[in-house]
Amino acid sequence: MEVHRSALIGQSAARTFDLIEAAEHYPTFVPWCANAVILARDDSEVTARISIDYHGLNFDLTTRNPKRRPHWMAIHLESGPLRRLEGEWRLRELAAESCKVEFTLRCEFDSVAGLLAGNVFDRIADSVIDAFALRAVRMERYDARPNDAGALSIQGNCS
């Protein structure tokens, strides 16, 4: 199965990339993400364990994600109920405060849990880019940045 999605985001590519790369905050705005833990992070790669909870279907994925901030991050499955999961985020700066985000994900299923995951995978993938676009809009509206707790911290005044 292969999924391609794109969106125009009212944030810079760098700010949007930081939002995508910060998996530890996903549970605060990605509806099906029950938990996310960063296992390792440096300038060239981030590894995370993501707990999925979608309508009673629960499973964990660990991904290793090479990256080149602010334009590209790959997704490679390390462990989970899938035979294969790989993809990428591509970000292209359109103006100082806007970018185009392209998301591609390819997967193959091999276990019973994986087959069940495949039944909802397209819906989950659809919601990924929507969740990030909505989060970016909320950040733009309040000139906010995610803080360490995953909440939005307001950087400007609200008048």
mmCIF file of all heavy atoms in Angstrom, residues 37-78:
data_model
loop_
_atom_site.group_PDB
_atom_site.id
_atom_site.type_symbol
_atom_site.label_atom_id
_atom_site.label_comp_id
_atom_site.label_asym_id
_atom_site.label_seq_id
_atom_site.Cartn_x
_atom_site.Cartn_y
_atom_site.Cartn_z
ATOM 1 N N VAL A 37 7.760 8.227 22.232
ATOM 2 C CA VAL A 37 8.984 8.360 22.996
ATOM 3 C C VAL A 37 10.154 8.470 22.026
ATOM 4 O O VAL A 37 10.274 7.657 21.102
ATOM 5 C CB VAL A 37 9.198 7.131 23.915
ATOM 6 C CG1 VAL A 37 10.511 7.231 24.662
ATOM 7 C CG2 VAL A 37 8.032 6.974 24.878
ATOM 8 N N ILE A 38 10.987 9.478 22.224
ATOM 9 C CA ILE A 38 12.208 9.605 21.431
ATOM 10 C C ILE A 38 13.249 8.682 22.047
ATOM 11 O O ILE A 38 13.569 8.804 23.233
ATOM 12 C CB ILE A 38 12.723 11.056 21.409
ATOM 13 C CG1 ILE A 38 11.678 11.994 20.792
ATOM 14 C CG2 ILE A 38 14.060 11.142 20.667
ATOM 15 C CD1 ILE A 38 11.307 11.689 19.359
ATOM 16 N N LEU A 39 13.766 7.757 21.261
ATOM 17 C CA LEU A 39 14.782 6.817 21.738
ATOM 18 C C LEU A 39 16.186 7.347 21.496
ATOM 19 O O LEU A 39 17.105 7.048 22.255
ATOM 20 C CB LEU A 39 14.595 5.466 21.058
ATOM 21 C CG LEU A 39 13.211 4.832 21.251
ATOM 22 C CD1 LEU A 39 13.076 3.575 20.407
ATOM 23 C CD2 LEU A 39 12.933 4.558 22.713
ATOM 24 N N ALA A 40 16.357 8.120 20.433
ATOM 25 C CA ALA A 40 17.652 8.730 20.113
ATOM 26 C C ALA A 40 17.399 9.895 19.170
ATOM 27 O O ALA A 40 16.486 9.858 18.351
ATOM 28 C CB ALA A 40 18.583 7.723 19.462
ATOM 29 N N ARG A 41 18.232 10.931 19.297
ATOM 30 C CA ARG A 41 18.112 12.086 18.407
ATOM 31 C C ARG A 41 19.475 12.760 18.293
ATOM 32 O O ARG A 41 20.154 12.968 19.287
ATOM 33 C CB ARG A 41 17.108 13.079 18.967
ATOM 34 C CG ARG A 41 17.019 14.365 18.162
ATOM 35 C CD ARG A 41 16.083 15.390 18.779
ATOM 36 N NE ARG A 41 14.705 15.073 18.440
ATOM 37 C CZ ARG A 41 13.669 15.190 19.269
ATOM 38 N NH1 ARG A 41 13.854 15.597 20.503
ATOM 39 N NH2 ARG A 41 12.448 14.897 18.868
ATOM 40 N N ASP A 42 19.859 13.073 17.047
ATOM 41 C CA ASP A 42 21.022 13.914 16.801
ATOM 42 C C ASP A 42 20.725 14.739 15.551
ATOM 43 O O ASP A 42 19.582 14.734 15.076
ATOM 44 C CB ASP A 42 22.327 13.102 16.698
ATOM 45 C CG ASP A 42 22.348 12.099 15.550
ATOM 46 O OD1 ASP A 42 21.694 12.346 14.502
ATOM 47 O OD2 ASP A 42 23.026 11.068 15.681
ATOM 48 N N ASP A 43 21.703 15.435 15.027
ATOM 49 C CA ASP A 43 21.469 16.322 13.884
ATOM 50 C C ASP A 43 21.112 15.589 12.600
ATOM 51 O O ASP A 43 20.533 16.187 11.691
ATOM 52 C CB ASP A 43 22.689 17.202 13.626
ATOM 53 C CG ASP A 43 22.876 18.249 14.707
ATOM 54 O OD1 ASP A 43 21.895 18.546 15.434
ATOM 55 O OD2 ASP A 43 24.003 18.767 14.834
ATOM 56 N N SER A 44 21.431 14.293 12.510
ATOM 57 C CA SER A 44 21.196 13.577 11.258
ATOM 58 C C SER A 44 20.120 12.493 11.343
ATOM 59 O O SER A 44 19.731 11.942 10.310
ATOM 60 C CB SER A 44 22.502 12.939 10.762
ATOM 61 O OG SER A 44 22.950 11.979 11.690
ATOM 62 N N GLU A 45 19.613 12.204 12.551
ATOM 63 C CA GLU A 45 18.658 11.097 12.668
ATOM 64 C C GLU A 45 17.864 11.210 13.967
ATOM 65 O O GLU A 45 18.368 11.694 14.977
ATOM 66 C CB GLU A 45 19.434 9.780 12.648
ATOM 67 C CG GLU A 45 18.587 8.541 12.558
ATOM 68 C CD GLU A 45 19.458 7.317 12.342
ATOM 69 O OE1 GLU A 45 19.931 6.756 13.354
ATOM 70 O OE2 GLU A 45 19.665 6.947 11.181
ATOM 71 N N VAL A 46 16.619 10.739 13.924
ATOM 72 C CA VAL A 46 15.799 10.611 15.128
ATOM 73 C C VAL A 46 15.149 9.230 15.094
ATOM 74 O O VAL A 46 14.703 8.769 14.047
ATOM 75 C CB VAL A 46 14.747 11.747 15.244
ATOM 76 C CG1 VAL A 46 13.771 11.742 14.094
ATOM 77 C CG2 VAL A 46 14.006 11.674 16.573
ATOM 78 N N THR A 47 15.158 8.560 16.252
ATOM 79 C CA THR A 47 14.518 7.256 16.390
ATOM 80 C C THR A 47 13.432 7.396 17.449
ATOM 81 O O THR A 47 13.677 7.959 18.525
ATOM 82 C CB THR A 47 15.533 6.179 16.818
ATOM 83 O OG1 THR A 47 16.566 6.123 15.827
ATOM 84 C CG2 THR A 47 14.875 4.807 16.931
ATOM 85 N N ALA A 48 12.230 6.910 17.124
ATOM 86 C CA ALA A 48 11.099 7.075 18.034
ATOM 87 C C ALA A 48 10.242 5.822 18.073
ATOM 88 O O ALA A 48 10.163 5.077 17.094
ATOM 89 C CB ALA A 48 10.243 8.256 17.590
ATOM 90 N N ARG A 49 9.595 5.619 19.221
ATOM 91 C CA ARG A 49 8.591 4.559 19.356
ATOM 92 C C ARG A 49 7.238 5.261 19.474
ATOM 93 O O ARG A 49 7.036 6.096 20.356
ATOM 94 C CB ARG A 49 8.851 3.688 20.579
ATOM 95 C CG ARG A 49 7.862 2.528 20.681
ATOM 96 C CD ARG A 49 8.136 1.568 21.830
ATOM 97 N NE ARG A 49 8.305 2.252 23.100
ATOM 98 C CZ ARG A 49 9.469 2.360 23.759
ATOM 99 N NH1 ARG A 49 10.569 1.828 23.277
ATOM 100 N NH2 ARG A 49 9.533 2.998 24.906
ATOM 101 N N ILE A 50 6.328 4.927 18.569
ATOM 102 C CA ILE A 50 5.007 5.532 18.503
ATOM 103 C C ILE A 50 3.978 4.462 18.852
ATOM 104 O O ILE A 50 3.987 3.372 18.264
ATOM 105 C CB ILE A 50 4.699 6.065 17.078
ATOM 106 C CG1 ILE A 50 5.815 6.978 16.564
ATOM 107 C CG2 ILE A 50 3.339 6.724 17.024
ATOM 108 C CD1 ILE A 50 5.932 8.289 17.250
ATOM 109 N N SER A 51 3.099 4.764 19.804
ATOM 110 C CA SER A 51 2.000 3.856 20.164
ATOM 111 C C SER A 51 0.741 4.330 19.451
ATOM 112 O O SER A 51 0.304 5.463 19.637
ATOM 113 C CB SER A 51 1.778 3.854 21.670
ATOM 114 O OG SER A 51 2.923 3.376 22.335
ATOM 115 N N ILE A 52 0.179 3.456 18.638
ATOM 116 C CA ILE A 52 -1.021 3.743 17.855
ATOM 117 C C ILE A 52 -2.236 3.192 18.598
ATOM 118 O O ILE A 52 -2.217 2.056 19.079
ATOM 119 C CB ILE A 52 -0.952 3.063 16.464
ATOM 120 C CG1 ILE A 52 0.376 3.341 15.759
ATOM 121 C CG2 ILE A 52 -2.166 3.408 15.617
ATOM 122 C CD1 ILE A 52 0.616 4.735 15.327
ATOM 123 N N ASP A 53 -3.289 3.990 18.686
ATOM 124 C CA ASP A 53 -4.574 3.551 19.232
ATOM 125 C C ASP A 53 -5.648 4.127 18.322
ATOM 126 O O ASP A 53 -5.967 5.314 18.396
ATOM 127 C CB ASP A 53 -4.751 4.039 20.668
ATOM 128 C CG ASP A 53 -6.065 3.566 21.284
ATOM 129 O OD1 ASP A 53 -6.882 2.911 20.587
ATOM 130 O OD2 ASP A 53 -6.286 3.864 22.472
ATOM 131 N N TYR A 54 -6.160 3.275 17.438
ATOM 132 C CA TYR A 54 -7.159 3.730 16.470
ATOM 133 C C TYR A 54 -8.385 2.845 16.582
ATOM 134 O O TYR A 54 -8.362 1.673 16.179
ATOM 135 C CB TYR A 54 -6.584 3.699 15.050
ATOM 136 C CG TYR A 54 -7.508 4.309 14.024
ATOM 137 C CD1 TYR A 54 -7.538 5.688 13.840
ATOM 138 C CD2 TYR A 54 -8.353 3.526 13.262
ATOM 139 C CE1 TYR A 54 -8.386 6.260 12.906
ATOM 140 C CE2 TYR A 54 -9.201 4.088 12.325
ATOM 141 C CZ TYR A 54 -9.219 5.455 12.153
ATOM 142 O OH TYR A 54 -10.062 6.022 11.230
ATOM 143 N N HIS A 55 -9.440 3.358 17.180
ATOM 144 C CA HIS A 55 -10.701 2.626 17.338
ATOM 145 C C HIS A 55 -10.486 1.226 17.922
ATOM 146 O O HIS A 55 -10.997 0.239 17.403
ATOM 147 C CB HIS A 55 -11.464 2.549 16.020
ATOM 148 C CG HIS A 55 -11.866 3.890 15.498
ATOM 149 N ND1 HIS A 55 -12.786 4.693 16.126
ATOM 150 C CD2 HIS A 55 -11.439 4.590 14.424
ATOM 151 C CE1 HIS A 55 -12.928 5.824 15.442
ATOM 152 N NE2 HIS A 55 -12.116 5.796 14.411
ATOM 153 N N GLY A 56 -9.687 1.150 18.967
ATOM 154 C CA GLY A 56 -9.453 -0.116 19.649
ATOM 155 C C GLY A 56 -8.328 -0.958 19.081
ATOM 156 O O GLY A 56 -7.966 -1.974 19.667
ATOM 157 N N LEU A 57 -7.781 -0.575 17.955
ATOM 158 C CA LEU A 57 -6.622 -1.268 17.390
ATOM 159 C C LEU A 57 -5.379 -0.619 17.970
ATOM 160 O O LEU A 57 -5.161 0.578 17.808
ATOM 161 C CB LEU A 57 -6.624 -1.151 15.861
ATOM 162 C CG LEU A 57 -5.437 -1.765 15.134
ATOM 163 C CD1 LEU A 57 -5.395 -3.271 15.344
ATOM 164 C CD2 LEU A 57 -5.512 -1.447 13.652
ATOM 165 N N ASN A 58 -4.576 -1.399 18.702
ATOM 166 C CA ASN A 58 -3.405 -0.871 19.384
ATOM 167 C C ASN A 58 -2.154 -1.605 18.929
ATOM 168 O O ASN A 58 -2.145 -2.834 18.886
ATOM 169 C CB ASN A 58 -3.544 -1.056 20.903
ATOM 170 C CG ASN A 58 -4.751 -0.340 21.442
ATOM 171 O OD1 ASN A 58 -4.797 0.872 21.468
ATOM 172 N ND2 ASN A 58 -5.746 -1.110 21.867
ATOM 173 N N PHE A 59 -1.115 -0.849 18.585
ATOM 174 C CA PHE A 59 0.177 -1.441 18.264
ATOM 175 C C PHE A 59 1.251 -0.369 18.373
ATOM 176 O O PHE A 59 0.965 0.825 18.378
ATOM 177 C CB PHE A 59 0.184 -2.110 16.886
ATOM 178 C CG PHE A 59 -0.149 -1.205 15.735
ATOM 179 C CD1 PHE A 59 0.852 -0.576 15.001
ATOM 180 C CD2 PHE A 59 -1.471 -0.997 15.360
ATOM 181 C CE1 PHE A 59 0.549 0.246 13.930
ATOM 182 C CE2 PHE A 59 -1.776 -0.169 14.294
ATOM 183 C CZ PHE A 59 -0.775 0.455 13.574
ATOM 184 N N ASP A 60 2.493 -0.802 18.498
ATOM 185 C CA ASP A 60 3.641 0.096 18.582
ATOM 186 C C ASP A 60 4.495 -0.047 17.338
ATOM 187 O O ASP A 60 4.643 -1.147 16.795
ATOM 188 C CB ASP A 60 4.519 -0.244 19.793
ATOM 189 C CG ASP A 60 3.856 0.102 21.112
ATOM 190 O OD1 ASP A 60 2.921 0.918 21.121
ATOM 191 O OD2 ASP A 60 4.282 -0.453 22.139
ATOM 192 N N LEU A 61 5.054 1.080 16.902
ATOM 193 C CA LEU A 61 6.019 1.115 15.811
ATOM 194 C C LEU A 61 7.264 1.828 16.320
ATOM 195 O O LEU A 61 7.159 2.841 17.005
ATOM 196 C CB LEU A 61 5.492 1.920 14.621
ATOM 197 C CG LEU A 61 4.256 1.450 13.901
ATOM 198 C CD1 LEU A 61 3.804 2.505 12.894
ATOM 199 C CD2 LEU A 61 4.532 0.141 13.200
ATOM 200 N N THR A 62 8.415 1.304 15.959
ATOM 201 C CA THR A 62 9.662 2.029 16.194
ATOM 202 C C THR A 62 10.235 2.350 14.838
ATOM 203 O O THR A 62 10.350 1.479 13.976
ATOM 204 C CB THR A 62 10.652 1.183 17.022
ATOM 205 O OG1 THR A 62 10.049 0.901 18.285
ATOM 206 C CG2 THR A 62 11.959 1.939 17.247
ATOM 207 N N THR A 63 10.532 3.637 14.634
ATOM 208 C CA THR A 63 11.087 4.069 13.355
ATOM 209 C C THR A 63 12.416 4.782 13.565
ATOM 210 O O THR A 63 12.630 5.445 14.571
ATOM 211 C CB THR A 63 10.135 5.023 12.602
ATOM 212 O OG1 THR A 63 9.922 6.201 13.374
ATOM 213 C CG2 THR A 63 8.804 4.357 12.296
ATOM 214 N N ARG A 64 13.292 4.595 12.604
ATOM 215 C CA ARG A 64 14.574 5.299 12.540
ATOM 216 C C ARG A 64 14.474 6.233 11.346
ATOM 217 O O ARG A 64 14.209 5.803 10.228
ATOM 218 C CB ARG A 64 15.716 4.293 12.356
ATOM 219 C CG ARG A 64 17.093 4.940 12.331
ATOM 220 C CD ARG A 64 18.181 3.907 12.069
ATOM 221 N NE ARG A 64 17.880 3.006 10.966
ATOM 222 C CZ ARG A 64 17.982 3.316 9.671
ATOM 223 N NH1 ARG A 64 18.382 4.501 9.307
ATOM 224 N NH2 ARG A 64 17.693 2.428 8.740
ATOM 225 N N ASN A 65 14.693 7.514 11.585
ATOM 226 C CA ASN A 65 14.379 8.517 10.584
ATOM 227 C C ASN A 65 15.575 9.426 10.284
ATOM 228 O O ASN A 65 15.802 10.410 10.988
ATOM 229 C CB ASN A 65 13.195 9.366 11.073
ATOM 230 C CG ASN A 65 12.039 8.484 11.505
ATOM 231 O OD1 ASN A 65 11.582 7.634 10.761
ATOM 232 N ND2 ASN A 65 11.582 8.668 12.723
ATOM 233 N N PRO A 66 16.316 9.121 9.222
ATOM 234 C CA PRO A 66 17.366 10.045 8.788
ATOM 235 C C PRO A 66 16.727 11.371 8.387
ATOM 236 O O PRO A 66 15.588 11.400 7.907
ATOM 237 C CB PRO A 66 17.991 9.355 7.580
ATOM 238 C CG PRO A 66 17.509 7.951 7.624
ATOM 239 C CD PRO A 66 16.228 7.946 8.375
ATOM 240 N N LYS A 67 17.465 12.476 8.578
ATOM 241 C CA LYS A 67 16.878 13.780 8.298
ATOM 242 C C LYS A 67 17.921 14.772 7.813
ATOM 243 O O LYS A 67 19.112 14.641 8.117
ATOM 244 C CB LYS A 67 16.195 14.322 9.557
ATOM 245 C CG LYS A 67 17.156 14.483 10.728
ATOM 246 C CD LYS A 67 16.428 14.903 12.000
ATOM 247 C CE LYS A 67 17.427 15.069 13.142
ATOM 248 N NZ LYS A 67 16.805 15.579 14.341
ATOM 249 N N ARG A 68 17.427 15.737 7.041
ATOM 250 C CA ARG A 68 18.216 16.902 6.627
ATOM 251 C C ARG A 68 17.319 18.123 6.843
ATOM 252 O O ARG A 68 16.501 18.464 5.990
ATOM 253 C CB ARG A 68 18.646 16.781 5.166
ATOM 254 C CG ARG A 68 19.723 15.728 4.930
ATOM 255 C CD ARG A 68 20.309 15.791 3.528
ATOM 256 N NE ARG A 68 19.325 15.717 2.452
ATOM 257 C CZ ARG A 68 18.907 14.590 1.871
ATOM 258 N NH1 ARG A 68 19.385 13.423 2.242
ATOM 259 N NH2 ARG A 68 18.020 14.640 0.896
ATOM 260 N N ARG A 69 17.462 18.701 8.018
ATOM 261 C CA ARG A 69 16.641 19.854 8.373
ATOM 262 C C ARG A 69 16.975 21.019 7.452
ATOM 263 O O ARG A 69 18.142 21.262 7.211
ATOM 264 C CB ARG A 69 16.928 20.239 9.830
ATOM 265 C CG ARG A 69 16.048 21.369 10.324
ATOM 266 C CD ARG A 69 16.411 21.773 11.752
ATOM 267 N NE ARG A 69 15.468 22.720 12.252
ATOM 268 C CZ ARG A 69 15.555 24.035 12.036
ATOM 269 N NH1 ARG A 69 16.574 24.541 11.376
ATOM 270 N NH2 ARG A 69 14.640 24.852 12.509
ATOM 271 N N PRO A 70 16.005 21.725 6.937
ATOM 272 C CA PRO A 70 14.571 21.673 7.170
ATOM 273 C C PRO A 70 13.782 21.084 6.000
ATOM 274 O O PRO A 70 12.581 21.324 5.901
ATOM 275 C CB PRO A 70 14.226 23.154 7.329
ATOM 276 C CG PRO A 70 15.103 23.820 6.297
ATOM 277 C CD PRO A 70 16.392 23.004 6.312
ATOM 278 N N HIS A 71 14.424 20.321 5.131
ATOM 279 C CA HIS A 71 13.744 19.936 3.889
ATOM 280 C C HIS A 71 13.355 18.474 3.737
ATOM 281 O O HIS A 71 12.557 18.154 2.848
ATOM 282 C CB HIS A 71 14.604 20.349 2.683
ATOM 283 C CG HIS A 71 14.859 21.817 2.644
ATOM 284 N ND1 HIS A 71 13.874 22.735 2.402
ATOM 285 C CD2 HIS A 71 15.977 22.540 2.864
ATOM 286 C CE1 HIS A 71 14.367 23.952 2.456
ATOM 287 N NE2 HIS A 71 15.653 23.858 2.739
ATOM 288 N N TRP A 72 13.889 17.581 4.569
ATOM 289 C CA TRP A 72 13.629 16.171 4.295
ATOM 290 C C TRP A 72 13.812 15.319 5.547
ATOM 291 O O TRP A 72 14.725 15.562 6.336
ATOM 292 C CB TRP A 72 14.599 15.691 3.219
ATOM 293 C CG TRP A 72 14.547 14.228 2.921
ATOM 294 C CD1 TRP A 72 13.658 13.587 2.104
ATOM 295 C CD2 TRP A 72 15.424 13.221 3.423
ATOM 296 N NE1 TRP A 72 13.943 12.243 2.078
ATOM 297 C CE2 TRP A 72 15.030 12.001 2.884
ATOM 298 C CE3 TRP A 72 16.514 13.248 4.293
ATOM 299 C CZ2 TRP A 72 15.666 10.807 3.160
ATOM 300 C CZ3 TRP A 72 17.156 12.061 4.581
ATOM 301 C CH2 TRP A 72 16.726 10.855 4.011
ATOM 302 N N MET A 73 12.914 14.336 5.707
ATOM 303 C CA MET A 73 13.085 13.317 6.731
ATOM 304 C C MET A 73 12.486 12.019 6.203
ATOM 305 O O MET A 73 11.360 12.005 5.692
ATOM 306 C CB MET A 73 12.398 13.697 8.045
ATOM 307 C CG MET A 73 12.669 12.678 9.141
ATOM 308 S SD MET A 73 12.193 13.223 10.803
ATOM 309 C CE MET A 73 10.423 13.251 10.654
ATOM 310 N N ALA A 74 13.262 10.950 6.291
ATOM 311 C CA ALA A 74 12.796 9.631 5.865
ATOM 312 C C ALA A 74 12.182 8.907 7.055
ATOM 313 O O ALA A 74 12.398 9.276 8.212
ATOM 314 C CB ALA A 74 13.956 8.822 5.296
ATOM 315 N N ILE A 75 11.429 7.863 6.760
ATOM 316 C CA ILE A 75 10.822 7.014 7.788
ATOM 317 C C ILE A 75 11.203 5.577 7.453
ATOM 318 O O ILE A 75 10.927 5.106 6.340
ATOM 319 C CB ILE A 75 9.287 7.152 7.779
ATOM 320 C CG1 ILE A 75 8.878 8.602 8.027
ATOM 321 C CG2 ILE A 75 8.655 6.211 8.803
ATOM 322 C CD1 ILE A 75 7.438 8.897 7.684
ATOM 323 N N HIS A 76 11.846 4.887 8.400
ATOM 324 C CA HIS A 76 12.234 3.488 8.219
ATOM 325 C C HIS A 76 11.789 2.686 9.435
ATOM 326 O O HIS A 76 12.160 3.025 10.563
ATOM 327 C CB HIS A 76 13.749 3.341 8.047
ATOM 328 C CG HIS A 76 14.291 4.027 6.839
ATOM 329 N ND1 HIS A 76 14.049 3.581 5.560
ATOM 330 C CD2 HIS A 76 15.053 5.135 6.716
ATOM 331 C CE1 HIS A 76 14.646 4.391 4.706
ATOM 332 N NE2 HIS A 76 15.259 5.343 5.384
ATOM 333 N N LEU A 77 11.043 1.637 9.209
ATOM 334 C CA LEU A 77 10.568 0.783 10.293
ATOM 335 C C LEU A 77 11.717 0.005 10.912
ATOM 336 O O LEU A 77 12.498 -0.629 10.208
ATOM 337 C CB LEU A 77 9.522 -0.201 9.758
ATOM 338 C CG LEU A 77 8.921 -1.159 10.780
ATOM 339 C CD1 LEU A 77 8.058 -0.391 11.768
ATOM 340 C CD2 LEU A 77 8.100 -2.225 10.063
ATOM 341 N N GLU A 78 11.830 0.071 12.228
ATOM 342 C CA GLU A 78 12.777 -0.748 12.984
ATOM 343 C C GLU A 78 12.056 -1.957 13.575
ATOM 344 O O GLU A 78 12.600 -3.049 13.584
ATOM 345 C CB GLU A 78 13.420 0.071 14.104
ATOM 346 C CG GLU A 78 14.365 1.141 13.605
ATOM 347 C CD GLU A 78 15.673 0.560 13.112
ATOM 348 O OE1 GLU A 78 16.337 -0.175 13.859
ATOM 349 O OE2 GLU A 78 16.035 0.855 11.963
#
